Each structure stands twice: as C-alpha cells, then as structure tokens.
Amino acid sequence: MAGIPRYIARQLEHNRLDRKLKRHHITSIAFSGTVGIGLFVTSGELIGLSGSAGCVIAFAVAGLVIIGVMRTLAELVSVRPLSGALIDYPHTFVDPALGFAVGIMYWFAQCLCMATLTAAAARVADNFVPSGQGLSSGQRAGIIGGLFVITLLSNALGVQLYGRLERVVKWLKILLIIALCVLMIVINVGVGGHTFGTTNYTQNAFVPSLRWEGFNGSSSTSSNSPPKLEIPGDSGRFLAIWTCITLAMFACMGGDYVIVTAGEAEFPRRDLPIAARFMYLVPIGCYILASFLAGFNVNYMDPHLFHPWASTNSPTSYSPFIIALQYTSIKVLPTFFNACFLFSAYTTGNTCLYISSRTLFAISQLYGNNFIKETLGKTNSGHTPMAAIVFCSLFGFLAFLGLADTTYNQPILTLSAFFTGTIACIYASECLAFLRFKAGLKRLETEEIFSRDDELYRRRHYRAHWQPLCAIFGLVSCVLIVIFSGWPAIYLLHTRAPSTSTTIKPTSYLIADVVGAYVGPLVFVLLYVVYKLIYKTRVQSLKDFEDAYFLPEFDNEPWSVVRKGWRGVLGEVWSLVK
C-alpha cells in the first residue's frame, strides 16, 4: 500500500477478509455444513413416512435438485468469485432489491439453522439416559450453553485455523458414514444375533398408504384402534414420497457454502468452480448409500421411528441406524454412535455460524450505512469479522426454544421448515440470475463481442453442460418445494375430525408447521418489494452486464488444469476429499 496515507491504509486493512483457504479447506467447510443430523436422524423420519425405498428415492430426487443448482452456481462463481457472491449474482444480473432480499434471508436462515442444529444436538443427548427417560430441562440447557460457547470460540480463532478444524471434522464424518455402512451390512447378514435379509425391500419398500401418525408395528388398522387419517393406494404412496423430498431437501442443502467462502479462498477462480461442481457428489452419494443400507434393517412399521404429525412418538432414538443396532446384542455401539450424531449436529451448527457471519459481513459492506459498515462490516487485526460473528452467535440462544417442547419437537420442526423454504427461495433466485447471466452473454455473442463458446472463456471459466436446463430445473423445483412445503399441515387442518384428534398432534402445532413453511418465503417477497419501493430499483438491462463478465483483479490467478476422462474426474473428486 505504498503511497497511500497510513490512516487510509489502516481503514482498508480492516475492510477485507484473509484469502487463506485452500481447496481442501473450502470443501471441508461445505461437507461439514451439509452432513449434519439429516442423514443420521431425518432418514428414519423418511422411512417411516414413505418406506425404505421411498427414503432413497427422496434423497435421490433432492440430490438432483441440488445438482441443478450447484452446476449453475459453479459457472457463476468461475466468472465472479467475489466476497458475498450469493448476494452479488441476483444483485448484478437481476435486481439490487433481489440481492438485498437474498442476503438478508440467507443470513437469517443460517442463524436459525445454527439454533436448530444446536437444539437437535441436545435432543440427541436424551438417548444417553437409560429407559428413554430423557434429560431434564436443566441438563439440556447446559448442553446448549456449552455448545454455544464452543461454537463462538472456534469461529473466533481465525479462518486458517478454522479451515484446518473443518478438515479434521470432514474426515471424522466420512469415517463415521463408512463405519455405519459397514455395520448395516454386517447386521443384515446376521452378526449380532438378528438377521434381516432383504424383506424390507422385497415386501416393505413402499408404504401401503400415507398414514400421518405412522404404522407403529402394523400396516393394518385394528378394529379397536382409533380411526386413522390416511391417503390410501398409489396416491398416498406418491404423496408420501413427494413430502419426503421436501424433508430431504433440508438434509441435502449446504453445497452453496462453497460459494460463501469466495472472500477467503486463496485462489477463488481456480478452486471454487471445481469445488462447486464435485463437492456435493460426496455427501449426496453418502446420503443415498447409507439410507439404502439402513433400509435393509428398518422398515416403515418400526414403532421407534419419528412421525412429525403424530400425537405420540417413541421416547427413544429416532435414528434408523441406532434402531437397527438396538435389535442386536451389540450394546455399547448405540451410545457411541449417539455421541457421534451429537458431534455431527454441533459441527454443522458451527459451520452455520461461519456462513452467517461472512454473509452479514458482505451485507454490511454492500448495503449498510456508515455505522453498520464501521461495526458489522469491519474485521479485527487478524482479518476476522468478530463483530459479525458475535452478533450472529446471539441467535444461538433461540436453541433454548427446543426446551419448550420435547413431545413433538415442534420448535425444531418449525425452524427447519423455515430454513428449507427460505433457502429454496434463494436457490431459485440464483438460478434466475444465471438465466439472466446467460442471456447477457448471448447478447454479446450476437454482437460478436464475446461468446461463452470462446476458447478464452472455456480456459478461464467453467462452462457448465446442460445449461440452461439445469438452471430451469433448479428454478422450477425450488418454486414447487416452496409452494408445497406446508401442504401436509394444511391438509390435516382441513380434513381432521374429532375422531382422529387423538392420533394427530394438536391444531396449534399444525399451525406452527404452516407458519414455518411459508413465513420465510413471505418475508423474502416482502423484503424485495419494500427495498424496491424505497430505493426505486429496476430490473437490470442486459446492456448493464458488459463489464460484469470481466474482473481483472483475478487474472493473475493460476488457471485450473482440466483433466480428461474418468481418471480426471476421480482425480478432481479426490482433490476435494483429501
């Protein structure tokens, strides 16, 4: 900074983040943020709702939606690898008001996700108490408070050390998933005293109907049992899988964390597109494989599975992996794996604090007034946005809401539904931004200025295949997820009768489900409209994009070497996993 006055140099020094994250750090953050509690616990919820095969299909379809979105983001980040990139794309290529709505809601959703996962970790700790009694409220509060302090401290250590910690966490989670897969195979063939075989796929792959309160040991209805509220036949099976896809989206989201690291990546133009293209394959592949193997040992009639709309649930673990272990003579492993699941939930919440603080830092610099820029938009001498970290961590206290209800897990269900609906809106916005991005490139190609098919573009950037189909698929899928995410609660509120009131959870909790599903998208739209009215923003013209494709500050980065063939693909994947 030669020639710049010292006070200006000092000011600029505290306006930037450190570019110290290498490729393996970036993918570690994204992997840790994706693999939380969804695979280990939510998979049991999906099996109970749609069957063993239905769970696998739900994860596969949710994975396809993520693939469409991530291939879209990979090309965008190869062109504009900026700090606050997820905000920048809709801001630059659609409307500044949309960028503002994306930034605020993405930040808020990550703060709530941190609280949700911290509460879920405390809920997992209930399984350490024998006989399914659960922890007292004071013990849960102590666990939440302890995790809150550890999360804050780990994020305050600086990005380089944080990246190294996440790399260790990534490998621990990979080893955990491998161990669970091996155990599911071993248990299925009879080691541990119980042989399951393939019955759960040959006879119980799909539920006979969509039964909201679950099957609890039998697929038939006893004449002495209360009336069941269900949708029978093929319609019920389809709607069960469709509902599970929405629930599986919460578990599969997180690949976008790669894009958030753009402001701290050492070589963002080289590393981020590759990470965005391949990183999501590892966690989603793990989700599909592990849930497939768990489905051999647990079917939809198991009474220990969690049913989010039932009036009663088993007090024991809802994880299909723990349920399978409890049927064997191996008594020590359930406690060990419950501890692993608690660790997994906590570390994902820890990642959410990192993501939310970097998002708030970017929002403060892009949209904030002078006071916000001088506080939340500043870093300390180590280039860590401490003010943003501390402010975001305060939302962790919302985890104590999980103490309010342990019968229905309603605070956790409501917050997770809010996260899913909000992030689906953001994914749809990114896909829309790509369609505008591509239209702008098409205009430059028509005027013979620059083309997406030019050799220079292909060498310097990532040119995603199957576009704009991937972006359109991601956009349409996310809009459908937003629209139908709250349909089960609306259906139950409309059709429930006094005779079924004992089997379905109370009306107030169903209303909370509806609020959780739709309040996020409604606030998203409200933010967009209010910002647009106040600042009189307009939808960007394609003519405004000419300078958006050329960022010379990244031209000195080493260019990525494209590896051909299946060995090249495996090499790229290994560079992300190692």
Side-chain angles (χ1 to χ4, degrees):
M1 296 184 179
I4 300 178
R6 184 177 300 175
Y7 74 93
I8 296 180
R10 190 182 300 114
Q11 186 178 27
L12 293 174
E13 188 74 5
H14 293 285
N15 281 339
R16 66 179 181 86
L17 302 170
D18 259 348
R19 290 196 174 276
K20 291 187 176 180
L21 292 179
K22 300 185 183 299
R23 184 183 298 179
H24 51 262
H25 296 141
I26 294 167
T27 56
S28 298
I29 292 171
F31 187 90
S32 178
T34 304
V35 180
I37 204 72
L39 168 62
F40 307 123
V41 177
T42 306
S43 55
E45 187 178 329
L46 304 188
I47 291 174
L49 189 61
S50 63
S52 302
C55 173
V56 177
I57 292 172
F59 276 128
V61 175
L64 286 176
V65 177
I66 299 299
I67 288 172
V69 174
M70 290 307 300
R71 291 187 69 85
T72 297
L73 286 172
E75 183 163 353
L76 286 169
V77 79
S78 73
V79 176
R80 295 180 65 83
L82 301 170
S83 177
L86 288 175
I87 306 169
D88 172 73
Y89 304 145
H91 177 100
T92 302
F93 297 109
V94 185
D95 188 337
L98 185 61
F100 176 77
V102 165
I104 293 295
M105 294 307 294
Y106 189 74
W107 159 73
F108 191 53
Q110 296 301 330
C111 289
L112 294 187
C113 186
M114 171 185 62
T116 302
L117 291 165
T118 305
R123 181 66 184 84
V124 172
D126 279 341
N127 298 312
F128 296 134
V129 180
S131 303
Q133 297 172 356
L135 299 172
S136 67
S137 296
Q139 291 171 319
R140 288 198 197 93
I143 291 174
I144 291 172
L147 295 178
F148 172 82
V149 172
I150 297 172
T151 299
L152 180 59
L153 292 177
S154 63
N155 274 269
L157 295 175
V159 70
Q160 192 169 28
L161 182 56
Y162 177 80
R164 291 171 180 169
L165 289 174
E166 289 284 41
R167 191 181 187 188
V168 174
V169 170
K170 175 184 70 176
W171 273 107
L172 289 175
K173 289 187 176 183
I174 289 175
L175 293 175
L176 171 62
I177 293 172
I178 292 173
L180 286 172
C181 289
V182 172
L183 267 175
M184 291 301 102
I185 295 173
V186 169
I187 290 173
N188 188 262
V189 298
V191 176
H194 193 100
T195 302
F196 291 91
T198 61
T199 305
N200 289 336
Y201 280 101
T202 57
Q203 298 180 18
N204 302 312
F206 299 101
V207 292
S209 63
L210 173 53
R211 186 179 295 178
W212 303 102
E213 62 270 45
F215 293 87
N216 298 318
S218 174
S219 60
S220 61
T221 302
S222 171
S223 58
N224 297 323
S225 63
K228 305 295 183 182
L229 187 60
E230 61 183 339
I231 302 175
D234 292 337
S235 298
R237 282 187 283 271
F238 170 78
L239 290 172
I241 294 174
W242 174 253
T243 304
C244 285
I245 291 171
T246 303
L247 298 174
M249 283 296 296
F250 176 79
C252 293
M253 289 170 169
D256 47 283
Y257 294 173
V258 167
I259 313 300
V260 180
T261 64
E264 292 172 297
E266 185 177 16
F267 299 117
R269 177 167 279 175
R270 184 192 70 180
D271 292 338
L272 293 184
I274 295 175
R277 288 165 59 194
F278 293 109
M279 193 292 306
Y280 58 81
L281 296 176
V282 178
I284 290 177
C286 290
Y287 274 49
I288 295 173
L289 177 61
S291 62
F292 172 72
L293 294 175
F296 277 104
N297 302 324
V298 178
N299 67 48
Y300 63 85
M301 290 182 287
D302 196 290
H304 299 107
L305 293 173
F306 179 70
H307 303 284
W309 296 284
S311 59
T312 56
N313 275 293
S314 168
T316 59
S317 174
Y318 305 138
S319 169
F321 303 97
I322 301 299
I323 292 171
L325 284 168
Q326 289 173 338
Y327 285 132
T328 71
S329 58
I330 311 173
K331 300 304 180 184
V332 69
L333 287 181
T335 301
F336 171 76
F337 281 107
N338 273 317
C340 292
F341 299 162
L342 188 155
F343 171 79
S344 181
Y346 149 69
T347 51
T348 302
N350 186 45
T351 304
C352 289
L353 177 57
Y354 168 83
I355 298 299
S356 62
S357 63
R358 270 47 178 190
T359 304
L360 181 59
F361 177 80
I363 294 170
S364 302
Q365 291 198 330
L366 186 58
Y367 297 102
N369 56 28
N370 289 334
F371 174 76
I372 294 176
K373 289 179 180 178
E374 291 298 318
T375 52
L376 298 176
K378 284 284 187 179
T379 62
N380 61 13
S381 57
H383 305 297
T384 300
M386 278 304 304
I389 290 172
V390 172
F391 184 79
C392 293
S393 69
L394 297 178
F395 287 86
F397 287 110
L398 291 174
F400 289 102
L401 290 174
L403 303 177
D405 172 62
T406 57
T407 303
Y408 307 106
N409 284 343
Q410 193 57 52
I412 296 175
L413 293 175
T414 301
L415 292 176
S416 61
F418 177 93
F419 178 85
T420 302
T422 301
I423 298 300
C425 288
I426 291 163
Y427 282 177
S429 300
E430 303 299 336
C431 292
L432 177 61
F434 177 84
L435 295 175
R436 298 274 296 163
F437 162 91
K438 189 173 183 298
L441 280 175
K442 189 67 176 177
R443 174 182 169 273
L444 294 180
E445 181 181 359
T446 302
E447 297 181 3
E448 299 183 352
I449 298 175
F450 188 67
S451 173
R452 190 166 170 262
D453 296 321
D454 288 347
E455 181 64 23
L456 178 63
Y457 187 93
R458 290 174 175 271
R459 290 183 61 195
R460 181 171 294 182
H461 308 304
Y462 166 61
R463 186 186 184 281
H465 300 292
W466 309 314
Q467 291 288 12
L469 293 179
C470 286
I472 294 172
F473 175 72
L475 174 61
V476 173
S477 299
C478 289
V479 170
L480 290 175
I481 286 168
V482 169
I483 293 173
F484 291 102
S485 59
W487 89 267
I490 294 174
Y491 174 84
L492 290 172
L493 286 169
H494 177 69
T495 59
R496 69 182 301 172
S499 59
T500 59
S501 60
T502 59
T503 60
I504 302 299
K505 66 183 182 181
T507 299
S508 59
Y509 291 97
L510 293 174
I511 293 174
D513 286 335
V514 176
V515 171
Y518 294 116
V519 71
L522 289 175
V523 174
F524 181 88
V525 173
L526 182 64
L527 285 172
Y528 172 76
V529 172
V530 169
Y531 189 93
K532 193 172 185 65
L533 292 175
I534 292 175
Y535 294 98
K536 303 293 192 282
T537 63
R538 61 181 178 83
V539 175
Q540 304 282 29
S541 170
L542 297 182
K543 296 180 180 179
D544 299 332
F545 300 166
E546 291 187 8
D547 296 330
Y549 304 107
F550 309 101
L551 300 179
E553 60 264 36
F554 298 103
D555 286 348
N556 293 328
E557 280 191 28
W559 290 8
S560 59
V561 178
V562 179
R563 305 182 186 184
K564 303 291 186 180
W566 65 270
R567 290 187 178 181
V569 173
L570 291 178
E572 296 289 7
V573 173
W574 173 246
S575 73
L576 304 176
V577 175
K578 69 179 182 180

